[in-house]
Amino acid sequence: MQWDIVIGLEIHVQLATKSKIFSGSSTAFGAEPNTQASAVDLAMPGTLPVPNEQAFRDAVMFGLAVNAEIGRRSVFERKNYFYPDLPKGYQTTQLAEPIVGPGHVDIELADGSSKRIRIHHAHLEEDAGKSLHEDFHGMSGIDLNRAGTPLIEVVTEPDMRSAEEAVAFAKKLHSLVTSLGICDGDMSQGSMRFDVNISLRPKGQDAYGTRTETKNLNSFRFMEQAIHHEVERQMDILESGGTIIQETRLYNGDRNESRSMRSKEEANDYRYFPCPDLLPVVLDEDYIESVRQRMPELPDARRARFKAQYGLNDYDASLLSADTSLANLFESTASHGKDAKLAANWILGEFSARLNSEEKKVAEAPVSGEHLGALVLRIADNTLSSSGAKKVFEALWSGEGHSVDAIIDAQGLKQVSDTGALEQIVDDVLAGMADQIAQYREADEKKRKKLMGGFMGPLMKASKGQGNPKLFTEILQRKLEG
Amino acid sequence: MAISRDDIEKVALLARIQVDDAQAAALEQDLGNILSLVDQLQAADTTGVEPMAHPLDAVQRLRPDEVTEGNQRERFQAIAPATEDGLYLVPKVIE
Amino acid sequence: MHDKTVSELARDLAEGKVSSVELTRHFLNRIQQEDSRYNSFITLCEEQALADAEAADQLRARGEATPWTGIPFAHKDIFCTDGIRTTCGSRMLENFVPPYNATVTDNFRQAGAVCLGKTNMDEFAMGSSNESSYFGAVTNPWGENRVPGGSSGGSAAAVAARLVPAATATDTGGSIRQPAALCGITGLKPTYGRVSRYGMIAFASSLDQGGTMARTAEDNALMLNVMAGFDPKDSTSIDRPVPDYTASLNQPLQGLRIGLPKEYFSDQLDPAMAAQIQAAVKEYEKLGATVKDISLPNANLAIAAYYVIAPAEASANLSRFDGVRYGYRCDNPKDLMDLYTRTRAEGFGAEVKRRILVGSYALSAGYYDAYYRKAQQVRRLIQQDFINAFKEVDLIMSPTSPSPAFVRGEKTTDPVTMYLEDIFTIAVNLAGLPAMSVPAGFVNGLPVGLQIIGDYFAEARLLNAAHQFQQVTDWHLRSPV
């Protein structure tokens, strides 16, 4: 049978606020266990929550970015369940009246087409702590530093029909929230976590099949693998006449296998009700407008601008605009380096390759847009050859020098472009190469090209590597043919 | 609405309270009485009435995003039943 | 000395007739000698109290004293006190020493008052007789086998027995007014949001309100001056200026309009109680007030709405007591489920468990609309009744409780019988209004309380009305000891 794959996503986006959603504790990652858990976070008796304005600002910004209705009135509810990483015994979240209503995001697919994915809603909620399972005499350890970190949970409609679409959506969302500056996007630290709802239905059928939820996928690669894995699993069951059980599954990326999380399923009755410790949050037009005014440029707009303003091709513009810090670096480089295309080439080429090989983020790179701009400038004005430019880049990266011009001077990388001086060198070198000159003159066009190299070597040597190769070639050709 | 023994057991599990047979029987009686008291509500005509959140219909104030809490782990864990290496200990969590 | 009110003690301190250390010693001695009869305290903090009293005397010597400097009082054991055990009347918190103060605790500390200890209460404030305390029942000073009311029964008994001149209390469904009535003292539950709930252990968040207990209205005013105010740590607290509640105590009551809800004066009301309340209303007429009958047509639904909303909120509020971070934990839990279910079965008493289960049931799938949502709608109807009434009258009066102090054990067999004890007080909590109970006579030698209900933020007017009544009556001066 032919099957339709139906995918919906729930994405937990950790907001990059300084303090928690309901307390003044720090949200910084990596602190010693429970050192960022206040009396409120620990649910000490009598303590009360007070919501963080920035979390609302971030959520509104997100809502505007996905073309959604903003909840003028939103209400926190209590979702009741017991778990050791949930100190109050309920999670404070939104249900009936979320901060972000229906919206949509357009994704681009490999074949160049684009598709609209609808967002059902997005709501604000608090993150839970962490259970550490290394053995404490048969016990688990609970760290509540993360408890109360603000999240927005984005819930899509079941609009995706393949792993490719789901991953494209996930990447688009990642690009969006990092561009907005509301999330650091660090998936290895759990800053974005994906739950994937998957169901199959016979091609042509309207009704959805029974779905499963695969939880907590924290990389695009695992997400893609998990979808393939789950689709195959469901297909096997359905084609052998079985039925799918609605359940939550946990995917193990290292082993490419999944299992049911039945322990979380039992007696699922969350007894939601409006949190009486919190009041409805009412945001007026002025507030929403002020957030809109302060919104940074979104990736799609930036991509269009890169093409128009800098004359970049679509591919480069899309690569650069998808990552805000890379886009910012490009703009800084282009402004210092004048030649935008050269700037784009360097950032997408040498710079990105180096980041990847060292597994660094843009922000951690030891070279700035100012550095790269200065480098591009010296390439464009012929001061540097491409090999010289690589040497300068190397020196900048390793911290051997901080000024492009100083590195050029120190390493003697300045190209000689004075035609008089170059002409003199060519004359001197050619004076000792009569045989080769004769050979060249007798050769046909094709062979001549090969023979040119035999002159360039000695020329570069005579100029101590500083002669502008382009000018050398021009002079040489003129002399040889003259 | 009457409450059954089965309801009592379900709700006791939801609330994570161990209930033995004798207690369950007593609770069935007590909760039954309480629920019939509460069932007077059903007589009220509440068509179109907005549920009440706060007596003064006040709205939420929002707090500026500032870190105001420092590390008080020592003080907080001094009153904890079981801790080790700064972690709260519980019987093994199985996912 | 222990017969004196807060304002009299403040005067004596100001005039140097007595020091705070002397006062503190006197009251601590009294508690140590007398409280075995009442069991009104769970914890005494003698050391801290004497240190605070010494500091208060030094402050006074430097000329920096305020009205509360050096005045002994007690906190209901629901307000968290940094470094001093706070049990909420529960085994769950038998050894809980909070590392922080409630805002109300801070307020009294800043005012220089001297806290002598923590008073007994129904477990997690759930009860109307103080019989549900893990630390034992409290005895009403007016009758050996009589309950003091609840849940603030310890505070009420301690004030009535002259063990402290004043005590804090909380009121979710009548827990200040009913014990004040049953113990013959004066108590005030302020407008919801007037007093911070931060650090006050939650029972039902949308109903809980901290308030005052003392023998006179004037002392209640002095207490409210310290307690009332906006708290940025409590999202439900109201940002609104706090008047000096003593400033308007002496205003004449000429022209005051009093409403008597016919629903609260039905045939079912004990005639002896009714007679006392009618007599009190007559006193108000003599003071220049006019009286009319009013109606609160949805008042009969108050108990039903309350016993959905309060248990529902409580069921979630009490989920944090799980044996993980503080408080009671069962011995040798064999797994996580065992840790939870046994900790909570052993740590909570019967009434608390009943309410958690009722609340969980009311919120569970399929019942939310029929119970919780419906109750919140009914709550608005009840509020609307009061709003309509206050268009015609300034204050509403009724009995505080249907009967005077009852005998211990009399109402514990069926929880519903106990719930009906709050029949006159609960609607006020649902609406979030301020209300008082003022001593207004005796039935069979037991005190009767007059409930006075005011419009939102009308605490000053309530206190004024209560104070004027106390200028022409002496019920509040009668002592059981």
Side-chain angles (χ1 to χ4, degrees):
Chain A
M1 194 181 296
Q2 289 279 305
W3 298 96
D4 248 351
I5 302 166
V6 177
I7 301 172
L9 295 178
E10 287 166 29
I11 303 110
H12 287 93
V13 179
Q14 239 179 35
L15 297 178
T17 55
K18 293 197 277 288
S19 65
K20 292 187 179 177
I21 185 165
F22 297 123
S23 81
S25 299
S26 168
T27 55
F29 182 82
E32 283 291 302
N34 292 308
T35 56
Q36 291 174 180
S38 69
V40 172
D41 308 319
L42 295 169
M44 291 275 178
T47 59
L48 294 169
V50 184
N52 184 341
E53 193 266 344
Q54 187 64 43
F56 277 85
R57 188 167 289 275
D58 289 355
V60 168
M61 208 187 277
F62 174 79
L64 294 172
V66 298
N67 315 293
E69 295 164 23
I70 303 301
R72 300 298 195 264
R73 178 191 141 102
S74 55
V75 173
F76 282 110
E77 305 208 20
R78 293 180 177 179
K79 178 183 182 180
N80 294 285
Y81 65 95
F82 284 86
Y83 210 67
D85 64 11
L86 190 71
K88 294 191 291 291
Y90 56 83
Q91 182 193 31
T92 308
T93 179
Q94 300 178 322
L95 181 74
E97 297 178 76
I99 180 70
V100 176
H104 62 82
V105 166
D106 292 333
I107 56 170
E108 285 80 39
L109 301 171
D111 65 4
S113 67
S114 94
K115 177 167 179 176
R116 177 153 295 184
I117 307 297
R118 291 169 302 156
I119 286 173
H120 180 271
H121 77 273
H123 61 259
L124 271 168
E125 62 183 25
E126 57 184 338
D127 209 342
K130 281 179 183 167
S131 306
L132 304 173
H133 303 297
E134 57 254 44
D135 206 18
F136 294 96
H137 341 285
M139 311 277 270
S140 289
I142 307 297
D143 175 10
L144 297 169
N145 280 349
R146 198 180 68 178
T149 298
L151 299 175
I152 45 177
E153 183 176 340
V154 184
V155 180
T156 75
E157 297 287 356
D159 283 353
M160 286 149 281
R161 294 289 172 270
S162 66
E164 187 208 351
E165 289 182 11
V167 170
F169 177 83
K171 285 186 173 167
K172 185 73 180 253
L173 207 72
H174 183 269
S175 155
L176 212 58
V177 296
T178 52
S179 303
L180 290 170
I182 64 173
C183 174
D184 68 16
D186 193 332
M187 294 173 65
S188 67
Q189 291 176 3
S191 297
M192 270 182 101
R193 311 192 292 268
F194 297 88
D195 301 343
V196 189
N197 290 304
I198 300 173
S199 65
L200 299 186
R201 62 181 173 193
K203 260 214 183 335
Q205 179 184 305
D206 276 343
Y208 295 128
T210 305
R211 65 186 159 84
T212 63
E213 182 180 20
T214 305
K215 269 192 138 26
N216 266 332
L217 301 166
N218 60 359
S219 81
F220 298 126
R221 192 166 58 86
F222 279 167
M223 185 175 148
E224 188 170 2
Q225 286 173 11
I227 293 172
H228 288 311
H229 177 84
E230 180 59 15
V231 166
E232 270 172 49
R233 194 187 69 86
Q234 290 191 17
M235 219 179 273
D236 286 348
I237 293 172
L238 291 171
E239 293 193 338
S240 59
T243 49
I244 305 298
I245 304 162
Q246 182 164 347
E247 62 182 354
T248 302
R249 299 188 67 83
L250 202 62
Y251 176 74
N252 183 328
D254 298 325
R255 294 193 207 156
N256 191 30
E257 62 186 31
S258 70
R259 64 175 171 83
S260 179
M261 286 174 80
R262 285 193 213 284
S263 61
K264 275 217 165 181
E265 296 293 305
E266 58 166 335
N268 240 350
D269 183 345
Y270 293 126
R271 291 155 287 145
Y272 282 95
F273 74 107
C275 179
D277 286 329
L278 294 163
L279 302 173
V281 176
V282 174
L283 303 177
D284 60 21
E285 254 1 274
D286 286 351
Y287 181 87
I288 293 166
E289 200 45 48
S290 81
V291 175
R292 194 195 304 276
Q293 296 297 332
R294 273 183 270 171
M295 261 171 77
E297 194 177 21
L298 295 180
D300 283 353
R302 205 165 199 185
R303 171 182 178 177
R305 183 166 62 77
F306 281 3
K307 286 157 75 176
Q309 181 180 340
Y310 299 110
L312 300 186
N313 64 33
D314 189 62
Y315 184 73
D316 287 358
S318 115
L319 282 180
L320 286 171
S321 60
D323 179 339
T324 301
S325 42
L326 201 65
N328 290 343
L329 182 75
F330 162 70
E331 297 222 66
S332 164
T333 304
S335 79
H336 287 100
K338 308 281 193 264
D339 187 328
K341 282 188 192 167
L342 200 53
N345 287 344
W346 266 83
I347 286 168
L348 293 174
E350 201 74 20
F351 178 81
S352 291
R354 194 58 181 261
L355 276 190
N356 284 343
S357 72
E358 296 192 9
E359 292 183 351
K360 278 197 160 86
K361 289 183 236 164
V362 175
E364 296 163 349
V367 298
S368 65
E370 203 173 331
H371 286 141
L372 288 173
L375 180 64
V376 165
L377 204 60
R378 290 293 169 252
I379 301 167
D381 72 5
N382 282 328
T383 306
L384 282 174
S385 65
S386 64
S387 65
K390 280 179 187 161
K391 284 181 189 152
V392 173
F393 180 79
E394 188 55 45
L396 288 170
W397 192 281
S398 61
E400 285 162 33
H402 297 291
S403 147
V404 169
D405 287 345
I407 295 168
I408 293 172
D409 283 348
Q411 297 198 18
L413 298 172
K414 189 174 162 58
Q415 275 190 138
V416 176
S417 297
D418 169 350
T419 42
L422 294 177
E423 202 137 345
Q424 187 59 53
I425 295 171
V426 174
D427 287 343
D428 292 351
V429 168
L430 289 185
M433 300 180 81
D435 290 354
Q436 287 93 327
I437 294 172
Q439 213 178 337
Y440 180 89
R441 287 185 175 148
E442 284 160 21
D444 60 14
E445 193 68 12
K446 211 174 151 193
K447 210 168 179 193
R448 279 184 175 187
K449 260 194 183 152
K450 276 188 188 167
L451 291 168
M452 278 296 277
F455 297 103
M456 285 303 281
L459 282 175
M460 291 311 286
K461 199 175 170 191
S463 70
K464 300 194 182 88
Q466 293 178 12
N468 181 332
K470 216 170 126 206
L471 292 178
F472 265 146
T473 312
E474 279 169 29
I475 297 166
L476 194 59
Q477 270 171 350
R478 179 158 41 79
K479 301 253 175 198
L480 288 172
E481 276 149 36
Chain B
M1 273 171 258
I3 188 161
S4 67
R5 181 64 167 267
D6 190 41
D7 289 332
I8 298 284
E9 277 162 18
K10 239 186 268 174
V11 93
L13 177 64
L14 274 180
R16 297 291 187 270
I17 295 175
Q18 192 180 69
V19 170
D20 64 29
D21 281 353
Q23 288 168 326
L27 281 165
E28 196 179 334
Q29 169 89 46
D30 289 346
L31 265 61
N33 290 349
I34 296 168
L35 290 170
S36 37
L37 169 79
V38 154
D39 275 340
Q40 293 171 17
L41 282 179
Q42 306 316 324
D45 179 6
T46 52
T47 323
V49 178
E50 181 70 14
M52 185 162 151
H54 184 280
L56 300 161
D57 284 323
V59 297
Q60 183 63 49
R61 266 173 309 104
L62 301 174
R63 161 181 72 78
D65 182 23
E66 285 159 10
V67 176
T68 54
E69 299 292 329
N71 173 18
Q72 291 197 68
R73 187 172 75 181
E74 293 297 311
R75 294 196 73 203
F76 292 154
Q77 295 200 339
I79 54 169
T83 60
E84 192 171 314
D85 298 343
L87 297 160
Y88 293 96
L89 293 190
V90 297
K92 200 126 198 95
V93 176
I94 302 150
E95 283 199 340
Chain C
M1 188 164 3
H2 48 263
D3 258 325
K4 293 190 171 179
T5 64
V6 171
S7 66
E8 288 163 349
L9 292 173
R11 203 172 313 131
D12 287 356
L13 282 168
E15 290 169 2
K17 287 184 184 159
V18 69
S19 74
S20 177
V21 170
E22 285 164 341
L23 267 187
T24 301
R25 286 227 167 87
H26 175 79
F27 280 105
L28 282 172
N29 282 340
R30 239 188 104 65
I31 295 166
Q32 274 150 353
Q33 283 162 15
E34 305 290 327
D35 197 44
S36 56
R37 283 153 61 186
Y38 312 119
N39 194 29
S40 67
F41 279 84
I42 293 174
T43 306
L44 271 190
C45 35
E46 297 140 281
E47 244 173 77
Q48 177 78 59
L50 286 167
D52 289 348
E54 242 165 77
D57 284 335
Q58 284 165 15
L59 210 65
R60 189 173 299 281
R62 292 202 301 271
E64 292 164 22
T66 61
W68 274 95
T69 304
I71 303 277
F73 78 110
H75 274 303
K76 183 176 180 180
D77 206 17
I78 198 169
F79 290 100
C80 286
T81 41
D82 194 341
I84 294 163
R85 180 168 79 134
T86 302
T87 69
C88 220
S90 183
R91 182 185 191 192
M92 192 59 95
L93 295 176
E94 187 178 4
N95 298 308
F96 177 64
V97 179
Y100 52 93
N101 273 332
T103 298
V104 163
T105 308
D106 274 336
N107 290 344
F108 276 98
R109 286 202 70 77
Q110 271 154 25
V114 177
C115 175
L116 304 186
K118 310 294 292 290
T119 59
N120 204 341
M121 56 182 285
D122 278 300
E123 185 181 8
F124 284 103
M126 298 176 189
S128 307
S129 67
N130 226 301
E131 290 164 287
S132 77
S133 170
Y134 177 66
F135 300 90
V138 174
T139 297
N140 189 324
W142 291 96
E144 239 179 287
N145 54 351
R146 303 269 161 183
V147 303
S151 66
S152 311
S155 286
V159 171
R162 275 65 178 161
L163 302 183
V164 278
T168 58
T170 63
D171 190 316
T172 304
S175 284
I176 290 176
R177 291 158 288 158
Q178 185 254 13
L182 269 49
C183 290
I185 63 162
T186 307
L188 166 66
K189 173 208 120 53
T191 306
Y192 182 78
R194 181 80 285 192
V195 170
S196 169
R197 293 189 298 114
Y198 187 85
M200 188 179 105
I201 299 174
F203 160 17
S205 310
S206 76
L207 301 162
D208 295 345
Q209 183 58 204
T212 58
M213 277 184 170
R215 290 194 298 276
T216 64
E218 184 185 13
D219 284 0
N220 275 269
L222 286 167
M223 288 185 84
L224 194 59
N225 277 350
V226 174
M227 288 172 83
F230 171 64
D231 180 6
K233 289 194 280 191
D234 174 1
S235 293
T236 59
S237 110
I238 300 289
D239 193 357
R240 186 184 160 112
V242 178
D244 174 357
Y245 292 105
T246 61
S248 48
L249 290 174
N250 290 315
Q251 278 179 15
L253 299 186
Q254 195 63 44
L256 181 80
R257 299 169 303 164
I258 294 169
L260 304 179
K262 61 175 202 266
E263 293 78 7
Y264 288 173
F265 289 91
S266 74
D267 300 345
Q268 285 159 4
L269 181 62
D270 174 355
M273 293 288 296
Q276 295 299 309
I277 300 304
Q278 297 294 359
V281 172
K282 277 274 168 334
E283 287 295 334
Y284 275 100
E285 287 183 298
K286 284 192 223 157
L287 288 166
T290 60
V291 176
K292 68 181 288 188
D293 289 334
I294 58 161
S295 176
L296 301 170
N298 294 291
N300 63 323
L301 294 171
I303 286 200
Y306 178 87
Y307 277 98
V308 171
I309 295 166
E313 293 182 6
S315 74
N317 281 335
L318 270 61
S319 291
R320 65 190 58 198
F321 302 104
D322 58 6
V324 176
R325 298 164 312 285
Y326 50 78
Y328 180 77
R329 178 180 195 146
C330 69
D331 283 337
N332 306 314
K334 68 178 188 338
D335 56 27
L336 196 55
M337 186 59 98
D338 191 42
L339 168 72
Y340 285 145
T341 58
R342 218 145 45 78
T343 294
R344 291 165 62 77
E346 294 165 11
F348 290 136
E351 180 61 18
V352 171
K353 284 190 256 190
R354 264 197 293 274
R355 297 208 196 183
I356 290 175
L357 295 179
V358 168
S360 303
Y361 183 74
L363 290 172
S364 63
Y367 296 120
Y368 176 83
D369 283 350
Y371 286 127
Y372 192 78
R373 191 167 191 282
K374 184 87 179 177
Q376 291 285 50
Q377 288 175 311
V378 165
R379 194 174 174 184
R380 195 174 283 281
L381 296 179
I382 289 167
Q383 178 193 38
Q384 198 55 49
D385 286 353
F386 281 109
I387 291 172
N388 293 338
F390 284 120
K391 287 176 188 158
E392 296 176 42
V393 299
D394 302 308
L395 297 173
I396 295 170
M397 292 187 185
S398 78
T400 303
S401 63
S403 64
F406 47 92
V407 173
R408 201 178 297 149
E410 190 181 321
K411 300 190 179 186
T412 44
T413 31
D414 176 6
V416 170
T417 322
M418 186 72 83
Y419 296 173
L420 295 174
E421 184 62 19
D422 295 326
I423 194 154
F424 302 131
T425 49
I426 267 178
V428 163
N429 298 80
L430 292 169
L433 292 164
M436 290 186 77
S437 181
V438 181
F442 287 83
V443 167
N444 300 329
L446 295 168
V448 169
L450 167 73
Q451 178 174 236
I452 315 177
I453 305 168
D455 204 348
Y456 295 107
F457 299 103
E459 286 84 358
R461 180 164 240 172
L462 282 174
L463 288 160
N464 166 225
H467 181 71
Q468 289 305 304
F469 182 74
Q470 292 181 342
Q471 301 311 297
V472 295
T473 59
D474 67 352
W475 307 118
H476 63 293
L477 300 177
R478 306 285 178 92
S479 171
V481 294

